[in-house]
Amino acid sequence: MSNELVPLFSIFLLIALFLHSFVLRGKHLTITFFFFALSWACAKELLAPYSPYGFSSQEGAGYLLNKAMVISGWIITFYLGWSIAEEVLDRINKDKRSIFQLLLLSCSVIAGIAYFMESSAVHIGWWEWNIRGSGLRPESIFKTRFFPATV
């Protein structure tokens, strides 16, 4: 895929998930979720250059598309984590599902997707990490992706 096609596809997928949530979960929950997910993703991207895990990405014309892809990728990942966790817990026992179980499982799914995306994106060349020491070890990704997902 070309470099412009992937960000456009991620934005299209984000719109499709928004509509899915709107039909499945209703207006209020959808708007609340996507507002907070968008706020978190934008704040994370604004603070990324100041993070010890900072990375260098594309410059020029591809920069905004790259940022749009990353922001929509975070929102998609949060929504998938939430939806997968709900589905798994509903299949186990819908009546006894707790918020803690939902949070723990959704954060685990989010961390798993983030680990896959981070290692793949570096390999594909979407961005380059400037990490000293810890690298892309599983525990490093888990710590930096699991705990922020609880917010």
Side-chain angles (χ1 to χ4, degrees):
M1 284 190 187
S2 77
N3 286 340
E4 292 81 25
L5 197 55
V6 174
L8 293 177
F9 178 74
S10 68
I11 293 169
F12 171 76
L13 181 59
L14 180 62
I15 292 168
L17 289 179
F18 183 86
L19 294 174
H20 175 268
S21 179
F22 194 84
V23 169
L24 184 70
R25 304 175 191 283
K27 178 183 175 182
H28 179 70
L29 190 55
T30 297
I31 291 173
T32 302
F33 172 81
F34 280 91
F35 171 77
F36 284 108
L38 178 64
S39 299
W40 188 92
C42 288
K44 183 183 180 328
E45 285 308 301
L46 288 173
L47 297 175
Y50 307 106
S51 165
Y53 301 102
F55 59 89
S56 58
S57 61
Q58 300 172 353
E59 298 297 330
Y63 181 75
L64 288 178
L65 278 178
N66 187 341
K67 287 295 182 190
M69 177 183 66
V70 172
I71 289 170
S72 33
W74 274 113
I75 299 169
I76 291 165
T77 302
F78 287 149
Y79 189 76
L80 288 176
W82 179 24
S83 297
I84 291 170
E86 276 188 336
E87 186 65 29
V88 168
L89 292 173
D90 283 350
R91 288 178 186 229
I92 294 171
N93 190 351
K94 187 174 186 170
D95 297 330
K96 293 194 177 189
R97 181 178 71 189
S98 73
I99 190 69
F100 177 73
Q101 293 170 326
L102 184 63
L103 184 63
L104 183 64
L105 187 55
S106 64
C107 289
S108 298
V109 171
I110 291 166
I113 294 171
Y115 182 71
F116 167 76
M117 285 305 301
E118 296 296 345
S119 57
S120 299
V122 170
H123 181 71
I124 293 169
W126 284 343
W127 53 75
E128 180 180 309
W129 280 83
N130 298 322
I131 300 175
R132 306 215 189 332
S134 66
L136 285 174
R137 295 190 325 239
E139 65 273 12
S140 172
I141 291 293
F142 191 77
K143 286 177 192 173
T144 60
R145 299 301 182 249
F146 179 86
F147 295 111
T150 60
V151 175

